[in-house]
Amino acid sequence: MEKPVYHPLFRPLLFLTLVFSAGINIYAKDTVKSPADSAFLSRKTIQALRINKPPKIDGKLDEAFWKTLPCANDFVEYSPRNGTHPPFPTEVRFAYDDIALYVGAILFDPHTDSIYKQLGSRDMLENLANDYLSVDILPYNDEMNMYEFKVNPSNVQHDCKYSMVGTDLSWDAVWESATSINDTSWILEIKLPFSALRFPKIENQVWGINMWRNFYRRQEYSTWSFVDNNSQNIFKYYGRLLGIKNVVPPVRLSIVPYISSYARKDPDVKNWSYELRGGMDLRYGINESYTLDMMLIPDFGQVQSDDLILNLTPFEVRYDERRQFFTEATEMFNKCDIFYTRRVGGPPKYGNLAYDSAKYTEIITKNPNETRIINATKISGRNTKGLGIGFFNAITTNTWATLQDTVKWTNRKLLTQPYTNYNVLVFDQNLKNHSYITLINTSYWIPDKSLNMNVTGAETSISNKKNTFSVLGRLNVSQHYQVSTKPDFGHLYVVSLAKPSGKFQWEIGRQETGDHYDPNDMGFLLYNNDVVNQLKMYYLIFKPTWKFINTQTTLVIRHSTLYKPSGFKSLSLSLQNETTFTNYWVNTLLFSIYPMGYNDYYEPRVWGWVYKTPLNYLVTWKTGTDNRKMFRYVHSFTIQNTPGNNNLLYDVEFVPRLRLNDRLSLTLDLFFEKNLNNSGWVETITDSLNNTMIYFGKRNITTWNNIFTTTYIFNTKMSISLRLRHYWSQAKYLQFYTLNQEGHLDLSNYSKENNINFNAFSADLQFIWYFAPGSEISIVWKNQINSQGTALLDNYFTNLGNTLASAQTNSFSVRVLYYLDYIYLKKWLKKNKAKDGS
């Protein structure tokens, strides 16, 4: 093994980072004592009472029954002084009838003129300057699956779902709310239709519940039922909502038809094209536990543009999923990490066939980069015994490329993706103590190719009652079948042990990915043939101490090898501290190092070869100012140094945000990165003696990524937003090398032109109007420019001007969507029938 060479700055930087972390911990003495062993910190219960006449949802609570209901009060501060009394009281009351649950809340504040109430789009409360009340409901009282409903003083709504997998922010229910502000408090009134929830079909409901109050001016959170902020499992502290009796889960049937029109101008087409589309989404509650969602003739033309980048790595770029059908109610399908929804309707599997088979007289006139989805269906839910079932199926139709012969002026078509079926089936069983066991299978089937790809995963997480110890185990198996070829099998397993609560937490684990494991027809995996052993240790202080409100220090040690043949890849150590100061500035310091360098088996693009990089280290400093202020900024600075090959990377990011008033905000994200003397793959060729020659290039890579966003909120139902992004990356090659068998670079006389000047510009302008519950009109203009060449430029604005003058795609669309709910439609028909009878 080669002796590592340490940069002169390594030891002092590591020493300073350790001293900083240790210093924080030395001063970490609790300054506020919690009132322990009292009813104040116990799990609470609250009764909901039946009412005969529903209230008018106006935010006034002037109906007489509100004064007679039991009151959920005595809130407990969650942060920063966990377990203490908050400064001002909060009162919440619950009522119900056969249709809905009603929530009335009074949030006292003697300085109501100072309440934060910024307007914003739905589901954006976490990004706004706002007080709010959150009502969290667990209808099965299982400490695992929760519905969250938030409202701010301006009546901006936010809803989402939580599960063991994570948060589903795209989930949207149809519910009502109203707010008002007086001299002593702000008042909230909510109507939650039972059709928006899934709950057991039993006579007496027992729901888990908690209410969270965000007091933004003081940066304080409080909860009705005490929650220990040193525990990762907050649901075990939730209280119970009792009293809901003889409520039958309603028929959950809704239909959302849509119609949309498009005008589009592509750069290689002379005239605008026009299109009218129509389709429908259907949601049906099969029973009180399981729901069927169907999407017929989908339309995703108004989805925000992807943030394209210059990708010089050997790996695929993973883009975020923004299509609502594939983000909503899909948390169960994320188990075992084998389903990447962007595969459905993504690039054709044989998309390169058009380029590979084109004759010298042919040009490609059409080669779609997306397959067309005919329909998609999913069934999901969980029953009273904690069994979750998920089923997903989607079908894409044939995708064709068109080639034109420029001599004979004839066209021919190539099938780049035949009819394809995508299928996911998952069973997920809740166990005691926030534990679960899961079985999931994905299937990718192309009948015309007799191609079937299957991946099966099994996973379990077991925790003890006090949540002081947990174990996670996962086993995935991939299976590829095709006629005339031998079946291919691969595996992945994960095992970890953890202490997930308390000031000191830790996690130790191992992941082994076999050399034949391949889930990428429906999943996403950067690389296989990998073994990782990892230790994480955390030290958390969540109570104000000296100059800090809270602080977290994390140490990660990671060792990686090849699976087959066994071979060293890397050893890394990283130490990070994130601290929130008493002035509400947030500071993050990160130091990481690869003391033995890194053996890269993927950059050469030929299996069996390796590129060895020497010792390198990275330092990142990030600071964000007080988020409550009208003007806020976040800046970060990173430097990564590899002294052995003179590679130096540094980047700077500056994000100023200006909140002009409660309706208008502006954000600018400026990012600049310089990567000097970076070495990477250029080309692989085979010479006349059948020898493999792998060429690398030393290059300077300069990248700008600037994003401007602004939103104007007319009211809680209507808004307009603009997002502009310009990404510019240049790679200037300085010298070329050949990779030798030892993993090092030898000078070469390779002389091809490889400089790259890549630009991606996108503009997304959207106007949206929620004209009725669950219904909307959206008008969207999208502009996109992608250009790549070899001519390098030094001036940013000259390059931007050239980019804006390049060929571009423009589209303008109008979409109308209308929500029809069976219960309200039935009620309306019954009412009109009664009028006719009279």
Side-chain angles (χ1 to χ4, degrees):
M1 182 183 300
E2 297 179 7
K3 183 178 180 180
V5 178
Y6 293 95
H7 190 270
L9 290 176
F10 164 58
R11 289 185 176 87
L13 283 171
L14 179 59
F15 174 75
L16 289 174
T17 307
L18 290 169
V19 168
F20 178 80
S21 175
I24 289 176
N25 295 334
I26 289 172
Y27 282 102
K29 297 179 180 178
D30 297 344
T31 57
V32 180
K33 298 295 183 181
S34 300
D37 301 325
S38 68
F40 182 63
L41 301 182
S42 64
R43 298 181 71 173
K44 301 173 182 176
T45 60
I46 185 67
Q47 289 276 338
L49 299 184
R50 179 179 281 274
I51 55 176
N52 296 320
K53 182 181 179 181
K56 180 181 180 181
I57 306 301
D58 54 10
K60 295 181 180 179
L61 302 184
D62 49 6
E63 289 85 1
F65 72 81
W66 284 116
K67 297 178 182 179
T68 66
L69 298 176
C71 179
N73 50 17
D74 288 332
F75 275 54
V76 188
E77 194 165 306
Y78 174 77
S79 71
R81 299 168 184 84
N82 189 228
T84 63
H85 291 275
F88 306 121
T90 305
E91 298 179 355
V92 186
R93 295 172 172 87
F94 297 90
Y96 73 97
D97 56 19
D98 290 332
I99 301 297
L101 175 71
Y102 304 94
V103 184
I106 304 175
L107 297 93
F108 291 94
D109 185 342
H111 308 289
T112 53
D113 57 339
S114 300
I115 289 175
Y116 281 80
K117 53 184 187 302
Q118 184 182 0
L119 282 162
S121 302
R122 178 172 176 155
D123 293 340
M124 294 297 291
L125 278 185
E126 296 292 347
N127 300 322
L128 304 176
N130 271 306
D131 287 25
Y132 64 71
L133 182 74
S134 175
V135 180
D136 297 358
I137 298 175
L138 293 85
Y140 289 93
N141 197 29
D142 57 4
E143 299 184 4
M144 300 182 75
N145 298 277
M146 183 264 285
Y147 298 88
E148 178 184 74
F149 302 91
K150 292 180 181 177
V151 184
N152 81 335
S154 295
N155 198 32
V156 178
Q157 294 183 348
H158 178 116
D159 51 14
C160 64
K161 289 198 302 182
Y162 285 80
S163 69
M164 287 295 295
V165 178
T167 307
D168 181 6
L169 292 172
S170 65
W171 178 77
D172 284 330
V174 178
W175 49 290
E176 298 178 52
S177 63
T179 59
S180 63
I181 300 177
N182 57 36
D183 292 337
T184 60
S185 63
W186 68 277
I187 299 173
L188 167 64
E189 196 168 16
I190 299 176
K191 176 183 179 180
L192 297 176
F194 289 129
S195 59
L197 304 172
R198 299 174 187 173
F199 55 92
K201 191 175 183 179
I202 55 177
E203 181 178 353
N204 295 312
Q205 301 288 331
V206 179
W207 293 0
I209 196 165
N210 213 349
M211 287 75 72
W212 294 68
R213 179 179 180 178
N214 178 19
F215 197 169
Y216 196 80
R217 187 169 72 250
R218 297 170 60 97
Q219 293 288 283
E220 293 175 350
Y221 287 89
S222 58
T223 60
W224 168 63
S225 189
F226 166 73
V227 176
D228 185 350
N229 64 7
N230 282 316
S231 175
Q232 294 183 23
N233 179 12
I234 63 172
F235 296 153
K236 75 173 186 176
Y237 297 96
Y238 276 33
R240 293 184 301 165
L241 176 64
L242 308 176
I244 301 177
K245 301 178 181 179
N246 301 315
V247 172
V248 179
V251 175
R252 291 182 289 116
L253 173 61
S254 63
I255 300 173
V256 186
Y258 80 86
I259 186 170
S260 58
S261 61
Y262 287 85
R264 181 183 175 96
K265 175 66 172 64
D266 290 309
D268 54 350
V269 179
K270 183 178 180 180
N271 299 318
W272 284 75
S273 62
Y274 303 93
E275 185 178 3
L276 185 66
R277 304 177 187 174
M280 182 177 68
D281 291 349
L282 180 146
R283 175 170 295 177
Y284 172 65
I286 299 172
N287 55 32
E288 71 275 9
S289 301
Y290 301 106
T291 302
L292 166 70
D293 290 276
M294 294 187 68
M295 178 176 62
L296 305 175
I297 316 177
D299 173 29
F300 302 119
Q302 293 191 335
V303 174
Q304 180 185 304
S305 307
D306 284 330
D307 289 344
L308 302 180
I309 64 170
L310 173 62
N311 183 18
L312 297 176
T313 74
F315 307 119
E316 176 187 4
V317 177
R318 178 165 185 157
Y319 291 106
D320 294 336
E321 177 63 89
R322 295 188 175 96
R323 300 170 298 176
Q324 185 171 352
F325 182 86
F326 293 98
T327 58
E328 185 177 297
T330 57
E331 65 276 5
M332 197 179 304
F333 301 102
N334 294 325
K335 290 293 183 80
C336 295
D337 198 23
I338 59 175
F339 183 34
Y340 175 45
T341 54
R342 288 292 296 263
R343 300 294 186 209
V344 184
K349 185 176 181 65
Y350 309 104
N352 289 329
L353 183 63
Y355 302 99
D356 296 338
S357 62
K359 301 175 183 177
Y360 72 94
T361 60
E362 291 180 323
I363 60 172
I364 301 171
T365 59
K366 182 181 179 181
N367 191 19
N369 58 9
E370 293 181 350
T371 53
R372 183 183 175 188
I373 303 173
I374 301 174
N375 60 64
T377 303
K378 61 189 176 190
I379 297 173
S380 60
R382 192 175 301 273
N383 64 20
T384 56
K385 296 182 180 180
L387 175 62
I389 298 177
F391 170 76
F392 173 90
N393 181 266
I395 298 171
T396 58
T397 189
N398 292 334
T399 304
W400 300 89
T402 303
L403 288 78
Q404 185 179 79
D405 192 307
T406 57
V407 176
K408 300 179 181 179
W409 297 107
T410 57
N411 294 327
R412 68 184 178 101
K413 289 187 175 182
L414 286 174
L415 187 62
T416 58
Q417 173 104 15
Y419 165 93
T420 305
N421 183 275
Y422 304 80
N423 192 78
V424 184
L425 180 63
V426 56
F427 298 94
D428 181 67
Q429 177 65 55
N430 289 348
L431 304 175
K432 291 183 178 180
N433 304 324
H434 208 238
S435 305
Y436 66 87
I437 183 169
T438 299
L439 180 67
I440 182 171
N441 174 265
T442 64
S443 175
Y444 175 91
W445 180 41
I446 303 180
D448 288 356
K449 298 286 186 179
S450 298
L451 179 66
N452 191 353
M453 313 293 194
N454 270 276
V455 182
T456 302
E459 179 177 290
T460 184
S461 176
I462 306 294
S463 301
N464 64 351
K465 187 174 182 179
K466 294 183 178 180
N467 196 40
T468 56
F469 181 78
S470 67
V471 57
L472 170 73
R474 177 192 302 170
L475 175 63
N476 295 351
V477 177
S478 64
Q479 308 163 72
H480 289 202
Y481 301 97
Q482 190 167 17
V483 172
S484 74
T485 62
K486 184 179 179 181
D488 192 18
F489 301 91
H491 76 279
L492 173 148
Y493 76 79
V494 177
V495 60
S496 69
L497 306 175
K499 177 181 179 291
S501 62
K503 287 186 176 181
F504 176 71
Q505 301 178 20
W506 54 265
E507 178 184 352
I508 186 169
R510 174 184 174 90
Q511 176 172 314
E512 178 180 291
T513 308
D515 57 333
H516 288 270
Y517 179 69
D518 181 9
N520 279 339
D521 288 294
M522 285 188 66
F524 188 95
L525 181 71
L526 286 179
Y527 52 83
N528 56 18
N529 198 20
D530 184 52
V531 179
V532 176
N533 297 292
Q534 183 170 270
L535 170 65
K536 291 184 179 180
M537 292 184 289
Y538 312 87
Y539 191 79
L540 307 95
I541 301 172
F542 285 139
K543 290 187 178 180
T545 303
W546 190 49
K547 297 291 184 179
F548 313 117
I549 292 178
N550 57 64
T551 182
Q552 175 175 320
T553 303
T554 306
L555 173 65
V556 180
I557 302 173
R558 191 172 188 269
H559 181 262
S560 176
T561 65
L562 288 178
Y563 167 70
K564 185 185 294 185
S566 179
F568 173 80
K569 289 177 65 176
S570 67
L571 171 67
S572 65
L573 299 90
S574 67
L575 183 65
Q576 176 175 303
N577 176 267
E578 181 176 317
T579 299
T580 302
F581 294 92
T582 51
N583 61 358
Y584 297 102
W585 285 41
V586 180
N587 188 81
T588 302
L589 282 175
L590 168 66
F591 174 76
S592 67
I593 185 170
Y594 287 79
M596 301 170 65
Y598 181 78
N599 289 349
D600 192 338
Y601 292 90
Y602 309 101
E603 184 64 24
R605 323 288 169 105
V606 177
W607 187 243
W609 291 71
V610 61
Y611 170 57
K612 297 182 178 181
T613 62
L615 171 149
N616 63 83
Y617 60 85
L618 176 147
V619 179
T620 295
W621 171 43
K622 181 177 181 179
T623 297
T625 63
D626 188 348
N627 194 42
R628 299 172 300 173
K629 304 297 184 182
M630 183 179 71
F631 176 77
R632 180 183 191 253
Y633 75 88
V634 176
H635 77 257
S636 68
F637 175 74
T638 296
I639 182 169
Q640 181 176 348
N641 191 19
T642 310
N645 61 11
N646 297 316
N647 175 216
L648 177 66
L649 177 150
Y650 61 89
D651 65 53
V652 180
E653 185 172 20
F654 184 68
V655 187
R657 185 224 61 200
L658 180 62
R659 189 175 63 249
L660 295 174
N661 51 48
D662 284 342
R663 298 180 185 272
L664 178 62
S665 61
L666 310 170
T667 302
L668 185 61
D669 187 338
L670 304 171
F671 175 84
F672 173 77
E673 180 181 272
K674 194 79 170 181
N675 195 347
L676 301 171
N677 296 319
N678 169 268
S679 296
W681 175 87
V682 173
E683 185 180 13
T684 300
I685 64 173
T686 304
D687 63 17
S688 58
L689 299 177
N690 206 32
N691 295 317
T692 299
M693 303 289 292
I694 301 177
Y695 291 98
F696 270 54
K698 181 173 288 187
R699 60 215 178 186
N700 290 340
I701 304 172
T702 306
T703 302
W704 292 85
N705 188 32
N706 300 325
I707 303 173
F708 171 76
T709 56
T710 183
T711 302
Y712 186 81
I713 309 298
F714 298 96
N715 51 51
T716 57
K717 306 297 183 183
M718 191 182 300
S719 65
I720 187 169
S721 62
L722 172 66
R723 184 180 191 266
L724 301 173
R725 175 183 182 261
H726 177 225
Y727 173 90
W728 176 31
S729 189
Q730 286 193 143
K732 180 180 181 180
Y733 282 83
L734 310 172
Q735 180 65 57
F736 296 97
Y737 305 84
T738 56
L739 181 66
N740 61 36
Q741 294 287 348
E742 287 73 37
H744 302 294
L745 301 179
D746 299 325
L747 280 173
S748 169
N749 58 2
Y750 180 91
S751 59
K752 290 184 180 180
E753 177 63 70
N754 284 278
N755 291 339
I756 301 174
N757 183 7
F758 177 82
N759 282 271
F761 177 87
S762 62
D764 293 81
L765 177 65
Q766 181 185 53
F767 170 82
I768 190 164
W769 174 29
Y770 297 101
F771 63 90
S775 306
E776 65 182 55
I777 295 175
S778 57
I779 304 172
V780 173
W781 168 68
K782 296 172 69 174
N783 174 275
Q784 193 163 11
I785 305 171
N786 300 317
S787 65
Q788 182 169 324
T790 58
L792 304 181
L793 297 173
D794 294 327
N795 187 282
Y796 176 85
F797 294 100
T798 301
N799 174 77
L800 177 60
N802 292 345
T803 301
L804 296 177
S806 302
Q808 52 193 269
T809 298
N810 276 282
S811 70
F812 183 82
S813 60
V814 180
R815 186 169 187 256
V816 181
L817 178 152
Y818 196 80
Y819 176 83
L820 297 171
D821 186 279
Y822 168 80
I823 293 178
Y824 290 97
L825 186 61
K826 181 180 178 182
K827 186 177 180 182
W828 179 81
L829 291 173
K830 185 177 181 181
K831 183 178 180 181
N832 281 272
K833 185 177 180 180
K835 286 183 178 180
D836 295 339
S838 62

